[in-house]
Amino acid sequence: SSTAPARFGASGGPAGSSQYGVAGGGLVRIATSGATTVEGVISADGLPGNNYSTNQAMGGGAGGSIYVTAAALNGAGSFSAKGGAGSVNTSNKGGGGGGGRISLVHVGGTFTYSDVTLDATGGTATSAAVAGAKGTAYVKDTAANTVKIFHGFSYPDADFVVDSWTIDPSATNQYCDTTLASTATPSV
């Protein structure tokens, strides 16, 4: 889910019938009862596609999942669940892997969130190949009872009761879960 992701990124498409695709991003789960400081990069990126031969190009792996729950979240680091770029050769081009999911649930802290510090972009592609779609980035501050959405968000059939729901201008990939019944009524 967008609020509690728990899946690895899918592998990229293989270049030939006897080849395996490149790896998708991993699954990062961090749960702390105390304050957490992030100064580096926590990454679950998909790998870029490889060229198998002169006429075959692989797709990039999809971004994985990052799910952090912490008492307070501090620091100046970043979180990345990017899709890998598709490979390019003389005849064929591989598609980009889709972006993964990032969910941070915390009780206050000084971490500054933006579409740069929370990167779930899809992998690039060239020519007729298709780039990967953006993933999702969800941040909930339980002390302030606020939610911030960066990149995309997949709305489940649930009611979100918060004091503030902010959607960053970078969040262009908003949709309701496609498995919902036509009678579903998600709300904020």
Side-chain angles (χ1 to χ4, degrees):
S1 77
S2 294
T3 58
R7 298 193 179 204
F8 293 91
S11 63
S17 61
S18 63
Q19 297 301 307
Y20 296 103
V22 296
L27 171 61
V28 178
R29 175 66 171 112
I30 299 171
T32 65
S33 59
T36 300
T37 301
V38 177
E39 293 296 346
V41 178
I42 295 178
S43 173
D45 293 344
L47 293 178
N50 296 319
N51 290 332
Y52 174 62
S53 68
T54 304
N55 296 319
Q56 296 179 335
M58 292 182 177
S65 297
I66 299 172
Y67 181 27
V68 176
T69 53
L73 196 53
N74 304 309
S78 63
F79 299 86
S80 178
K82 299 184 293 189
S87 65
V88 178
N89 66 28
T90 55
S91 301
N92 295 301
K93 314 310 187 247
R101 295 185 186 268
I102 301 169
S103 176
L104 310 175
V105 180
H106 61 93
V107 184
T110 60
F111 194 92
T112 302
Y113 303 100
S114 73
D115 63 328
V116 175
T117 59
L118 304 171
D119 193 350
T121 53
T124 58
T126 61
S127 190
V130 178
K134 286 182 180 180
T136 63
Y138 169 88
V139 178
K140 182 172 185 181
D141 182 337
T142 58
N145 198 27
T146 61
V147 168
K148 295 180 182 176
I149 302 297
F150 298 89
H151 298 290
F153 188 73
S154 172
Y155 293 89
D157 188 12
D159 296 324
F160 294 92
V161 180
V162 293
D163 292 339
S164 172
W165 184 281
T166 305
I167 299 175
D168 188 78
S170 68
T172 58
N173 194 19
Q174 308 281 311
Y175 60 91
C176 285
D177 184 339
T178 58
T179 62
L180 294 179
S182 62
T183 57
T185 56
S187 65
V188 175

